[in-house]
């Protein structure tokens, strides 16, 4: 529930795959496969040619090598802090601070990939940009079906189900009082589907314009990287101040509901939460150790 309601609609959002640790039933396998998964996700958008494919594959592997060495220790520390917090009541501010910290680590990872996208963007063919546009259209259609179409009751039920799934992955089965908190959160939420959809369309248009400009303007490597970083910044932080205020409001509502739910957890749920966090920490430690034991890969030297 304590997750910002924005969705990275830009192509850069695909690279989040490379940072995923949780939400997968086989965490270690998922993490170790992340460069391949991220590559195929991106390739579905760009339909890379041979040279582009080699560059992206190498750079995604290099980013994972860096992430394993530099970011996993930070994640381990965060997980230890969360374990210390787990048995205690929490405030909405504490929840939001944790979310903001994790979002910062994701942004740092995405910024690490910007030079790779900047390197290939000027060489994209018009057909590849058209492929990106078609994939955006598919994403738009799916989003409309989930969050704009159907009755308001159906949409609310989908939101409740989504939140319950995330909460139960940490706490186990929820109690009726906790379900009531989630349902009330959804019923009183400031979430505005059409507003989110308009922002998603803006991001898509922004991404397509940046890619088209880079293809036709023959920029230097530094200029291309700067353009991609600008796109990333506008994706993660909307230029419209009113939309940013709206997202801040959604985030605070989510953090408030999360704190309320956590503060009435049962002893068995508390045990389940601590065990889940300990398991994630063990996975993160094992993954970090794999990196320390493995020889430095050739891909890790790829210039970022």
């Amino acid at each position: 529930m304590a997750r910002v309601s924005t969705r990275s609609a830009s192509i850069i959002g695909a690279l989040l795959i490379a940072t995923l640790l949780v939400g997968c039933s086989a965490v270690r396998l998922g993490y170790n496969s992340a460069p391949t998964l991220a590559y195929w996700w991106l390739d579905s958008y760009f339909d890379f040619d041979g040279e582009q494919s080699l560059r992206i594959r190498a750079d995604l592997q290099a980013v994972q090598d860096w992430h394993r060495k530099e970011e996993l220790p930070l994640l381990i520390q965060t997980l230890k802090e969360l374990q210390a917090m787990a048995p205690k009541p929490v405030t909405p501010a504490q929840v939001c601070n944790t979310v903001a910290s994790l979002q910062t680590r994701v942004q740092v990872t995405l910024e690490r990939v910007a030079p790779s996208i900047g390197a290939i963007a000027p060489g994209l063919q018009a057909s590849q940009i058209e492929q990106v546009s078609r994939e955006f259209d598919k994403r738009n259609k799916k989003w409309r079906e989930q969050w704009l179409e159907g009755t308001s009751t159906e949409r609310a039920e989908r939101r409740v189900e989504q939140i319950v799934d995330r909460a139960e992955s940490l706490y186990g089965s929820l109690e009726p009082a906790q379900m009531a908190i989630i349902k009330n959160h959804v019923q009183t939420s400031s979430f505005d589907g059409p507003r989110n959809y308009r922002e998603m369309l803006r991001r898509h248009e922004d991404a397509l314009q940046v890619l088209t400009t880079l293809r036709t303007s023959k920029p230097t490597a530094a200029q291309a990287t700067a353009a991609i970083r600008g796109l990333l910044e506008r994706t993660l932080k909307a230029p419209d101040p009113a939309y940013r205020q709206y997202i801040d409001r959604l985030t605070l509502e989510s953090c408030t509901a999360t704190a309320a739910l956590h503060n009435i957890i049962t002893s068995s749920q508390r045990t389940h939460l601590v065990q889940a966090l300990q398991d994630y920490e063990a996975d993160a430690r094992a993954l970090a150790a794999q990196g320390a034991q493995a020889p430095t890969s050739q891909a890790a030297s790829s210039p970022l």
Side-chain angles (χ1 to χ4, degrees), residues 80-99:
K80 289 182 70 67
E81 292 169 358
L82 289 174
Q83 289 171 49
M85 291 171 58
K88 307 172 185 176
V90 297
T91 65
Q94 286 176 304
V95 176
C96 281
N97 286 341
T98 299
V99 172

Side-chain angles (χ1 to χ4, degrees), residues 109-127:
T109 300
L110 292 177
E111 289 173 348
R112 192 85 179 176
V113 188
S116 303
I117 302 299
I120 68 166
L124 291 174
Q125 301 298 312
S127 60

Side-chain angles (χ1 to χ4, degrees), residues 23-37:
C24 174
S25 59
V27 172
R28 301 183 195 186
L29 176 62
Y31 185 90
N32 286 329
S33 302
T36 298
L37 295 174

Side-chain angles (χ1 to χ4, degrees), residues 229-242:
R229 283 182 170 148
L231 174 61
L232 172 61
E233 182 177 356
R234 294 189 298 276
T235 297
L236 299 178
K237 185 177 181 181
D240 180 11

Side-chain angles (χ1 to χ4, degrees), residues 101-118:
S101 176
L102 292 172
Q103 288 175 331
T104 296
R105 303 324 312 162
V106 170
Q107 182 172 350
V108 167
T109 300
L110 292 177
E111 289 173 348
R112 192 85 179 176
V113 188
S116 303
I117 302 299

Side-chain angles (χ1 to χ4, degrees), residues 44-65:
S44 71
Y45 275 78
F46 289 105
D47 190 18
F48 295 125
D49 64 24
E51 184 176 347
Q52 294 165 347
S53 176
L54 290 173
R55 170 68 192 245
I56 291 298
R57 284 182 183 275
D59 286 359
L60 287 173
Q61 183 60 58
V63 168
Q64 189 193 49
D65 292 344

